[in-house]
Each structure stands twice: as structure tokens, then as C-alpha cells.
Amino acid sequence: MSAGNMLYGGDEIGALVFDPGHHSLRVGYAQEDTPKAEIPSVVGVGPSAPDTNMDIETKTDNNITQNNADTRKYYVDTTYVNVPRTQMEIQTYMKDGMIDNWDLFEKVIDYTYAKVIQSDPEYHPVLFSEASWNVRNNREKLTELMFEKYNVPAFYLVKNAVLAAFSSGRATALVVDSGATHTSAVPVHEGYVLSQAVVKSPLGGDYLSMQCRQHLEKQGIDLSPAYKIASKDVVKERDNARFTLRKLPENLTQSWQNYMLKSLLQDFQMNILQVLENPYDERVAAQIPSVHYEFPNGYHQEFGSERFKLAESLFDHAMLGAGQLASTSVGMCDADVRLSLFGSVVVTGGNTLLQGFPERLNRDLQLRAPSNTRLKMISANGSVERRFGAWIGGSILASIGTFQQMWISSQEYEESGKGQVERKCP
Amino acid sequence: MADVRDILDIERANTPEVTRESFLVQKRRNFEKAKGVSKRPEGMHREVFALLYNDNKDAPPLLPTDTALGIGAGYKQAKARLGMKKVRKWEWAPFNNPARTDGAVFHHWRRTTDDQKDYPFAKFNKQLQIPTYTMTEYNTHLRTNVQKWNKAQTDHLFDLAKRFDLRFIVMADRWDRAQHGVKSVEDLKERYYEVVGLLAKAKGQNSDKKSYAFDAEHERKRKDQLKKLFERTTQQVEEEQMLLNELKKIEARKKERERKTQDLQKLISQADQQSDVATNVQSARKYEKKLVKKKLHHQPRPSKVDSVVNAIEIGGSGIKFSDLRGSGVSLRSQKMKLPANIGQRKVKALEQAIQEFKVDPSPPPTEEICNAFNELRSDMVLLCELRTALSTCVYEMESLKHQYEAACPGKTLNIPPSLIPAEPIKEEIIEPGTSASTNA
């Protein structure tokens, strides 16, 4: 411990930070500025392999969680999930912002320690993030899992909104988090979530993908993801695509195909869609230059006003628009903290990278905020900082010297059990 | 070269570790040594030797500097030459955090040379002193209260206070509503400070610790108003803004009107003055021509005197000194400053009067003097006004007299001596207009 460390208040103890979300699980060492890995929060579940050549299979695959009772095979992480395999179902372990399928989640954690961290869990304290509306049962279960199965030396659980606020250097903030499955507005006061005033809506990136899919299918555009395409020819704009299909294994499951289609749509929506700063207006939208997009099968065209119309669906709901969520949430807080909440609105989550999202949110909030309040929006510029806001906050928190007294240590767990997570991690 | 030796794992002479002093001192010595060694051989030209040997092997500077290698004190910072020294080692060492109660041991990187002190961040572990109470204390002092809190609720409150370090907003958020009913932030604060106050009183530690009184009613009212302020709709805000603008407009209009009436008054008095002279001449002629109609014509015409007297009465005469309320901190002498709306003529007259009565023009501004001085000057202005009024009256009286004599030649108008100003007195001035007409 040197003087320099004292100066900046940092003290790193080799902690790991896990930030589970609906789109992905972010994992990495505390004190680093980006996660070591971003693992999709889905697991491919294959049928039990034929007994004979199982050894070879396990060697080539990453199937490290083979045990005797469960002969199904699990595929974790992008490189394994994205491979077309016979009868591989795609399942997610998340539900409503919380971990739901614990067996699958364990597989992912196993994979993380073996392939990403490549170290034993008993050497690294673990900091987990959680949704602000996580329930006691879930929290205790996670605590139990980490201590009992992975023997971590210490554990801590923080609400992801608090972490996102920390990553922007705020202890008091209104965190507007728009992720894959939902958008939420969470007031954070001096490092604590005001849980009574959390507001969320199910409009997120996935909803937008669905809208895109409906729109593109209505247009009659063939949405073949890249895995289906063996080769393609260059065609003129809006001409029919000329491509040959790849030879694929039989019995590809619907869930896997949907998953692959979704990643195509996500690419489409991130590149094409844009939110207007003011509510959608056909004339304004028509004046903005159109954007060109080429689908994996070679078909390409310009997208004009529809790219604004699609994105507008995130905002034009009377009750569920992001601006409405934020102002409702502030309205539910004590009158004394409202000013400070409006004074720092932290925008985080991958879906906020949608072009024009922060500007539109700013405008919507400005309309709803009382006229004499100072409204300040804080949105990180880099896509990494925006997508991994909560993880970065966790990385900061876990490497602060004064935080090291907060961990639930294994000794404490043994003394008072999992129930104390409720007391120690508010 | 140190790197190569390290890679090849060749033992290296044990050099002392780098410190700031060591390399700075070292550098000076090297320079001196080099100076001693490089000596010009016999017969070698100085210029040739200069090509071979240089103090430092760098290219010569484009600009002359006096800083290189310690000639003079130098502004340039000496370059740290660290490569040849052994670095201080770091180790992944266990540490014990005294701020923890469980004695858990974590590891962190630490210099081996650093001494094993207490964990430096432990000193930041500050905790609030939340008072506690025993069962008997509760029963004797805290059981009865106006807000009907029971023991379980109070316990829960103090537990929350300890957990969240008196962040009442968070405490209200985490309050167990299912078990203990809904409580507002003010309810919690009220009860907490009540209990703390009672406990302090019971334990008799009032002397050293200040107990805080919490005015719950006031706080509730304040928050209510704050809420109302926040919950105004845009329409209401706009309406309020509009009303404020209207008010401003009305006030502006009022001022404008006042200004206009003043102007008008001035104009009237000026016009009167001028037309007076004119009409006097005209009417004199008319009288000559139309003697018959004299009686009819002689209406009680608007006398100049009336307007002057009226002006004095309406204008309130004297000076309205601005009270400085609302303008923040100011010097009391500011109170004695003449307001800006006084005309130049008045100011002049006032100055003259001050000189005339030999008054100190800027007395020390104590409260009493200020008021008295202001009153005095106000009276002086009044005096001046009255004097001018008097003189106009006298003038008018004279002119009336002349008119009369002109109208009825051979007759003289005897003005009663009481009307002739010897010493100007108020009562005298009001009379002449009426007396003149009655005399006629």
C-alpha cells in the first residue's frame, strides 16, 4: 500500500465483478475499465450425445459441465452458441431482470471461471449486480450458490442502478436504464435505491427488434441470417437477392433460429433506426437523408422515414415512454430529493445507444419537469461505457479501499447464513 | 543493459535502490568525473578535441541554454536515470482490515519495503452514534407518545436509523409497510428526535450534547408546499407567469399615468402663467370696449393662485425620501440622499435654503439626525414652494389692482393691510384669490 494508492482511494484485492443482464452477462476483474468477457445470457441445450464419440465431442466443444446425471450438453458463449447444431435449443436463464433458471446459470458461471477467468473461484471475492426489484428469495439463493458451490472468499450484491450511478461519479442520480427487455427509471439517493419509486416498462431493445421484424416481413424482405448463406452475388438496389444456401444440419430448432434472427435484427436496428428529437412527424422524417442497409443475403435498399417511425414506438406510448417513466419515478420520490434527481439523470444500457435516444429523453423530460428545475443528463459517450455502465460502476466500487470492509466474508456467511444478505447489501 | 541481464538471469552486482536523492546526486558526480577524465592531449587542436569530447553526447542545442548539466542552478529538470537500479518489489500480501468485525483476510499488492501498518482505509470507517434504550427506559419514558408509536415500530425505526446512518429518505423507503403501516419521512424524523430528546433528558446528558427539536408541523407544511410547487401543471405555471406579466404591465401603466398627470400639472401651471399675461392684456382691452357686458363677463375666472395652492396641496409638497427596505444592506447615509425624481430647480432652491439657514449640508448620519434632517429639508422645500406661491399671489393681486384701476379710472383699490405680505404666513396665502374677487 503506497502513498499513491491512498491518494486515489483505490485498493484492489483481485475481486471479480459479474453483471448479469438479459442480453449478456458481463464478467471481469475489478479495477479494469472494461469487462473481460461479455457472454450472451442464453445457453444452447443440446440432446444427450451418442455415447461413443462423446470424448471427442467434449474436447472440441467447451462442454465442461458434463456430469453423469445430466447427459444433455450445454453450449455457452457466442462462439459455441452461434454454431448450427442439430436439436440445440436456446434457453435463457433470465426472467424479468432476475436470474430464473439456476441450473443454466451455474453452467455459465462454470464456463466463466474455466474459460474467462481461468482461475479458481476461492481466490476472488465476487461482486454481483442485480435488478433493483430483485426479490429476497433470489438474492439469498445467489448468495448461497456463490458460497456453497464456488467457495468464494467474499461476496457482495449491489443494485445495478447504483453501480451505473457510481460509474458516472454520482451517489444521487436518477438512473434511466434501457436494456434488452425493459426500460426502467430508478432513483438512487446517496448510494441507495429508493425502491418504492422504481418504475419500469417492458419496452426495450427486444421490443424494437420485434417491431423491425414485423415491418421487414410486411415489406417482403427475406431475413436469412448469415449462417444460412453460402455465397451471394452483388445485385442492384432493391433487386431480388441472388444467393446460395448453405448446407445445414437437420432439425435446427425454432428457438435457435429465432435467436440468430434476433442478432440480425439487432444489427439492423442499431445501424438504421433513429429517434427524432421531437415526436414523429412524417415531413421532418422525410427530410433526413435515408440510410443504406445490406442484408446478409445480398439484398440492399435505402431506409427513409420508416427508420424513425419504428424507433418512435419506444416513446409514443402514453404511459411507457422513457421520459414518462423518468418523470413518474421522480414524482413518487420525496419532494426534497426531486431537485437533485433531476439534476443528474444518468442514461445507461445498450438500447440507449439507439441514435437520438438521449436527446429525445432530454426533450421529453424537459417538458415534464417543473419549469424551474435544472435538468442535467449524463450519458457516457463511448458505447462500451454506455453498455457496461453497471459493470464499470461495480469495477470502481470493488476496487475502492473503503469498500473492502463491506464484503460478506465466508466467515460471516458461516456464522449467520444467507439471511444477512438482506441486511448487509441493502 | 539491465533487461538483458535479467533475461539471461545473470547475477548483477547489488546496486542500491533508487531514490530521488540517489540519482540526482549520482548525476552530479558523474559529470564531475567526466570533466576530470577528458583532458586534451598534447598537440591536439582545441577544435578537433571539441569534436571528440563533449560533455554530453547530445547534439549541440540550437538555442543557448544555461541549464545543461548543472552549469548554474538550471531550470531544466534532471532526467531520472532509473534503468540501472533495482526496482522496489511488490508482493501479493494478505492484510487484515480492522474495520471488519469478522477478521476476514484479503490480499492486495503491497511494496515489500512498506511497513506493515494497519489497513490505511480503516480510519475512514466512521460510524454514527445512534442512542439505544433498554426495555425499562422505554417503559418509563417512551411508552406514551402522541403519535401512538408502539415498541415494535420504534425498534424498527432505530434499526433502520443504524443501518442507513440516519438517511431518513432511504429509511422511509425501506420502512416495513406491511408490518408497521405507512409512515412518512416526517413521521420518522418526529419520532426519532422525540425519542432522542427524551433519552438525553432521562440520562441527564443535556449539558454536553445539544438535543435537536424537530418541528414536524412546519416540515409537513413545507413539504406540502414544495409538492404543490412541483405539481403545478404547465398551464398553471403559464397562468401565473401571465398574471405576473399583467401585474407588471398594470404597474407600468400606473406609473405612466402618474407621470402624465404630473406633466399635465406642470403644463397647466406653465400655460396659466403665460396665458395669464396674455389674457390680462386682452381682457383689459375687452373691458374698455364692452363696458356694458362687464358684469356678465366677470365670471370667477380660474385664478393662478388656486392652481398654485392646489399644486402645493396635491403634490404633498416636500420630499418623499425613499425608504431603503428590500434593497439589502446599505449605509444609513444613503437615507439622506435626495431622491432622483426631484427637479433641478428644487435641488437648487434647497441648497440655497440650506445655506441661508446655515445648516450643515452633510451632518453625521445617526438615526435621529437622518430623520430630522430629512424632515427639515422636506420643510425647506415646502417653504420654498410657499414662497414662490406667495410671490405669485402678490403679483396677481397687484395685477388685479391695476386691472381694476384701468377698468374704473379714478378709483383706487385699497388693499387691506392684512393682505400685504410683511412676513409670509400660510394663512395669508390662501386668502388673496377669494378676497380679490369679493373686493371687485
Side-chain angles (χ1 to χ4, degrees), chain B residues 176-295:
Chain B
D176 192 344
R177 286 159 200 231
Q179 253 184 356
H180 302 299
V182 179
K183 297 275 182 202
S184 71
V185 177
E186 283 72 35
D187 293 337
L188 300 187
K189 280 187 182 172
E190 189 178 16
R191 175 63 175 162
Y192 177 81
Y193 287 113
E194 184 196 8
V195 170
V196 169
L198 285 174
L199 284 178
K201 209 183 267 175
K203 286 171 185 166
Q205 50 181 209
N206 249 9
S207 48
D208 56 331
K209 251 188 189 168
K210 195 170 177 286
S211 68
Y212 298 101
F214 181 72
D215 189 349
E217 274 319 301
H218 177 263
E219 276 293 294
R220 281 196 190 104
K221 221 166 147 188
R222 181 184 70 84
K223 205 150 274 182
D224 240 30
Q225 284 168 340
L226 198 56
K227 244 181 219 152
K228 272 184 198 151
L229 183 70
F230 274 120
E231 277 156 15
R232 286 182 309 171
T233 60
T234 36
Q235 277 176 337
Q236 284 168 323
V237 173
E238 273 164 16
E239 194 184 327
E240 195 188 300
Q241 199 59 44
M242 196 207 47
L243 285 175
L244 278 175
N245 285 342
E246 284 297 302
L247 182 70
K248 258 183 208 158
K249 265 187 217 161
I250 288 170
E251 269 173 3
R253 242 179 271 151
K254 205 167 141 196
K255 245 181 209 162
E256 181 76 2
R257 216 180 307 134
E258 269 170 17
R259 203 171 56 78
K260 269 189 183 153
T261 44
Q262 271 181 8
D263 283 359
L264 206 61
Q265 208 93 51
K266 229 185 245 170
L267 269 178
I268 287 169
S269 60
Q270 273 174 3
D272 254 359
Q273 233 163 14
Q274 285 166 358
S275 65
D276 241 14
V277 183
T279 45
N280 280 353
V281 179
Q282 264 179 7
S283 56
R285 281 187 204 139
K286 273 179 193 166
Y287 283 130
E288 279 172 30
K289 280 178 188 170
K290 302 169 184 177
L291 277 167
V292 200
K293 283 186 179 177
K294 198 191 81 184
K295 282 257 161 78

